[in-house]
Amino acid sequence: MPRLAVAAALGGALLAMLPCVHAAPAAARAETLPAQSATARAAQPFTPAELARMRAGAQRVTILRDKWGIPHVFGKTDADAVFGMVYAQAEDDFNRVELNYINAMGRLAEVEGEKEIWRDLRMKLYIDPAAMKAKYAASPAWLKKLMDAFADGLNHYLVTHPQVRPKLIARFEPWMALSFSEGSIGGDIESIELKRLEDFYGKPRQAASASAAAAPFDARAPRLAALADGDKGFDAEPKGSNGFAIAPKLSADGRALLMINPHTSFYFRPEIHMASEQGLNAYGAVTWGQFFIYQGFNDRLGWMHTSGGGDVIDEYLETVSERGGKFYYRYGKQERALRAVPIALPYKTADGMATRTVTAYFSHHGPVVRAEGGKWVAVKMMDDPVHALMQSYARTKARNYAEFVKVMQLRTNSSNNTVYADGDGNIAYFHGNFVPRRDVRFDWTKPVDGSNPATEWKGLHAVKETITVFNPQSGYISNTNNWPCTGFGASSPDCARYPAYMWSLPQNARGIHAERVLHDARGVTLDNLIARAYDSYLTAFEPLVPAVLRDWDALPAGDPLKARLAAQAAALRGWDLRFSTVSVPTSLAVYWGQEMVKASAARAREQGVPVVDFIQTGLTSRERLDALARASAKLEADFGSWQTPWGEINRFQRISGDVDQHYDDGKPSYPVAFTSANWGSLASFGMVAKQTTKRIYGDRGNSFVAAVEFGPRVRAKSILAGGESGDPASPHFADQAELYSRGEFKDVLFYKEDIEKALERRYHPGE
């Protein structure tokens, strides 16, 4: 997983929507500065007027912390609520809040050293403070008030907590909110591969023809690599989510239900409630440092985002030539000059600070990010942070389906699908939101010819032209980061009616599983919806287990594997393909699956197939059997026997507040039954950190999860991985850990009278 996404997931999501307006930063100076000078230069003393304004703002906010430490923030205005909710986030984990903005502004190398300069360059191809300040100045007055309150809330925290030493940002400014306007885990910009970016900009620029030897690039590579790569054979847990909606006709009480089940890195989002006297009353998960509820609900409706809607990023092959030290690219019958922008990349060294300057190149399509086959590749993606921030916030205040759709008309949610339910009994689905209109003659899964004007985007599809579903006859909606061609039973849309670029991901094991648990749903309650979302069946093993049993049955009596794997074959033959903490076949199957993944990842990438799909059809009998033997040997080496129950291996542990978590087999942990989503587990629990332990300690998957029932009064239940606070000394650091490990939920305290009954603390920010 890229480091920037780690900081997002364990403290900051990657930027998805960025402005393509650039001003050349100052040229690099040959100087080495003291290590903390960047912070010192950024920090300016707050004036008495600023301090008075912040104190007055704090007095208009009341924070109620309930027995789980969840902050319920009440303000007179929306801006007051924003002030209080970002202050509360800083209380719970300022480190992750700050890291979000260090990442978003392309300043990670100033904290972590030269190794991060290419990640910083990737951000600075899109982020320029001067441009952001101009966009802030031109923003609607109501949005500027929210951005002002965002900065004041975080600055008030720093003023009232002088013991907190920021890594870099000692003063937050309102425009910074525009650098981080969408709350996904891994936004659009992650499609730019860092290694290719370094290869292109990390050495002296050569004529375009000198790049002819560059290896061809598959636009699907980042996604397929995420599915194929793993440490010690453990497949990287997919980035994504599950969203379910149940219509009133299928629910026990005749009310719409919504399942909010993001699959993110743990501690990626805290749980929060914000309300104002201006109609704001939203509850859910907020990405650290942002001032809008990203996944959640208000008293009238709810929204759940799943990653992977339409194809929203395109790459253009630019035909480049050099004359007089300048670069030009062909467009139609013309030649245009590439815009050259020097970008300063400060970084920390052992002796202080140093700076490297890179000249970045831009065509009208976007920044050049690599070379391929003698051409340069420019990337085009969404670049409207003001409207993106407007949409992210405004949906939290929508009161009905019509108002929600009106917000969707901003069309700046580029990285997500949306599952919706409301108190009027409506359920709906939007497959993507920002979908460029393109000429269908071209294959948009690959880079297209930038010199051909026919490859230009032709505006955006209207929301009604995208794949949407409203109150399907089947009575349910689901999405699991899969295609939109299923997930609604008989009401599923006919994908053949839409351009192929309307979706970018195939069916997956979770999608098959979700369809099964929802198609016969009747009399669904909150608890029943949760049970369906945690159903223990592992669909990915349906073709694998029968295949290996046939392989074993066909072995001649004298083959060494016949006797060696006899007990394993018997265990798998008797397995119902369901996980549990006491299940031995679950342990064996998961380790066997990971052995097959490790052995075939490269071939899967070569064929452009997700590795979990590849192992179902692309392996020989001997490869399956050998992988089973290796899995048995690994279990025996690590645990003394391959017959080790799954709960002894698969554990939840939180022993540190560090962004980069570490695990210890000798310290307390809880058994977890659900597995990696790769195997079709709807409840997801996977490990992507470098494994230095024998046990598996999940760090990605179910994080904040909530089930909501809409009616005259909202009813909801939720669970958060570990707890609300990032401080190991806090009682709310791991107070939800045991519930989480068992898949048990707590009651959401949404109404003030219920919060008061479970009140732990009432205060104004700064008290």
Side-chain angles (χ1 to χ4, degrees), residues 31-374:
E31 61 180 345
T32 300
L33 303 170
Q36 294 301 316
S37 64
T39 301
R41 283 179 291 143
Q44 301 172 20
F46 294 103
T47 67
E50 289 173 327
L51 293 171
R53 184 185 70 237
M54 289 188 281
R55 285 194 297 268
Q59 289 303 305
R60 295 192 298 270
V61 177
T62 300
I63 300 175
L64 305 182
R65 293 271 184 178
D66 67 25
K67 64 182 180 180
W68 299 103
I70 308 301
H72 303 262
V73 180
F74 295 87
K76 292 185 179 299
T77 66
D78 284 9
D80 295 335
V82 165
F83 180 109
M85 70 93 80
V86 296
Y87 177 93
Q89 291 179 60
E91 285 186 298
D92 288 331
D93 206 324
F94 177 77
N95 183 39
R96 287 179 167 83
V97 170
E98 186 191 16
L99 274 175
N100 258 353
Y101 288 93
I102 292 172
N103 288 328
M105 294 186 293
R107 301 184 65 185
L108 190 61
E110 296 178 52
V111 174
E112 298 198 0
E114 188 175 12
K115 67 182 185 297
E116 299 295 353
I117 64 170
W118 304 111
R119 198 174 308 278
D120 285 353
L121 174 62
R122 182 168 67 178
M123 300 307 299
K124 288 183 175 181
L125 291 174
Y126 292 93
I127 290 293
D128 171 58
M132 289 297 180
K133 290 175 184 178
K135 289 179 182 295
Y136 159 77
S139 295
W142 68 266
L143 186 63
K144 289 177 69 175
K145 288 180 181 178
L146 300 186
M147 289 189 275
D148 292 343
F150 147 84
D152 278 354
L154 291 175
N155 290 331
H156 187 63
Y157 171 81
L158 291 175
V159 167
T160 56
H161 293 77
Q163 73 278 13
V164 173
R165 295 181 60 83
K167 288 181 171 65
L168 190 67
I169 307 174
R171 171 189 281 259
F172 286 84
E173 299 181 51
W175 65 267
M176 292 179 181
L178 292 172
S179 73
F180 190 35
S181 58
E182 204 273 349
S184 294
I185 181 170
D188 299 345
I189 199 171
E190 277 195 356
S191 66
I192 299 173
E193 279 199 314
L194 291 179
K195 183 62 171 65
R196 297 274 182 143
L197 192 68
E198 179 181 359
D199 289 345
F200 189 82
Y201 286 113
K203 51 193 173 186
R205 189 78 276 121
Q206 302 172 5
S209 60
S211 301
F217 180 78
D218 185 342
R220 300 165 299 175
R223 175 176 62 82
L224 295 175
L227 291 167
D229 290 342
D231 179 67
K232 295 179 69 174
F234 288 92
D235 198 25
E237 187 66 20
K239 302 175 188 177
S241 308
N242 300 333
F244 303 157
I246 304 295
K249 69 179 183 179
L250 300 185
S251 71
D253 296 326
R255 296 169 182 168
L257 301 170
L258 180 67
M259 189 73 203
I260 299 171
N261 186 189
H263 294 166
T264 68
S265 296
F266 296 164
Y267 328 121
F268 172 59
R269 298 186 184 113
E271 189 169 349
I272 204 162
H273 181 196
M274 57 189 303
S276 79
E277 296 175 13
Q278 293 182 322
L280 174 67
N281 191 11
Y283 190 108
V286 56
T287 306
W288 290 106
Q290 294 184 322
F291 62 72
F292 53 88
I293 301 297
Y294 181 70
Q295 311 270 27
F297 58 94
N298 59 36
D299 56 318
R300 290 292 304 150
L301 55 83
W303 58 96
M304 166 63 206
H305 299 307
T306 57
S307 301
D311 177 359
V312 299
I313 305 166
D314 285 319
E315 297 179 316
Y316 289 84
L317 297 171
E318 309 289 18
T319 303
V320 177
S321 59
E322 182 181 4
R323 293 196 306 276
K326 294 184 178 180
F327 294 99
Y328 300 82
Y329 68 103
R330 186 184 307 154
Y331 187 68
K333 297 180 179 180
Q334 305 173 341
E335 268 200 327
R336 296 183 176 185
L338 281 164
R339 188 157 52 92
V341 179
I343 296 180
L345 300 168
Y347 59 92
K348 186 173 73 172
T349 72
D351 300 321
M353 294 294 295
T355 299
R356 178 171 178 172
T357 298
V358 168
T359 299
Y361 295 94
F362 299 80
S363 73
H364 73 282
H365 295 121
V368 174
V369 298
R370 71 175 190 278
E372 177 181 335

Side-chain angles (χ1 to χ4, degrees), residues 507-510 512 538-548 550-551 592-593 596-597 600 604 609-621 623-624 677-680:
Q507 178 63 293
N508 57 34
R510 280 181 291 133
I512 296 169
L538 299 176
T539 47
F541 286 109
E542 277 187 339
L544 292 170
V545 169
V548 79
R550 289 192 297 270
D551 298 337
W592 170 51
M596 290 188 287
V597 163
S600 56
V609 178
V611 67
V612 176
D613 292 348
F614 180 85
I615 65 173
Q616 293 178 352
T617 58
L619 301 187
T620 66
S621 171
E623 286 175 320
R624 285 189 290 265
N678 284 310
W679 309 120

Side-chain angles (χ1 to χ4, degrees), residues 242-246 256-262 271 283-284 295-298 302-304 421 524-534 702 704-710 713-720 743-750:
N242 300 333
F244 303 157
I246 304 295
L257 301 170
L258 180 67
M259 189 73 203
I260 299 171
N261 186 189
E271 189 169 349
Y283 190 108
Q295 311 270 27
F297 58 94
N298 59 36
W303 58 96
M304 166 63 206
V524 181
T525 64
L526 274 183
D527 288 336
N528 179 256
L529 181 59
I530 292 169
R532 291 173 189 268
Y534 279 71
N702 281 21
F704 166 79
V705 190
V708 191
E709 178 186 86
F710 296 96
R713 284 175 63 89
V714 171
R715 290 181 58 239
K717 295 187 175 186
S718 70
I719 192 64
L720 191 65
E744 295 181 15
F745 284 45
K746 64 186 186 296
D747 290 328
V748 165
L749 303 172
F750 187 75

Side-chain angles (χ1 to χ4, degrees), residues 563-576:
R564 183 180 174 188
L565 297 178
Q568 290 90 326
L572 291 175
R573 202 181 301 276
W575 186 35
D576 59 3

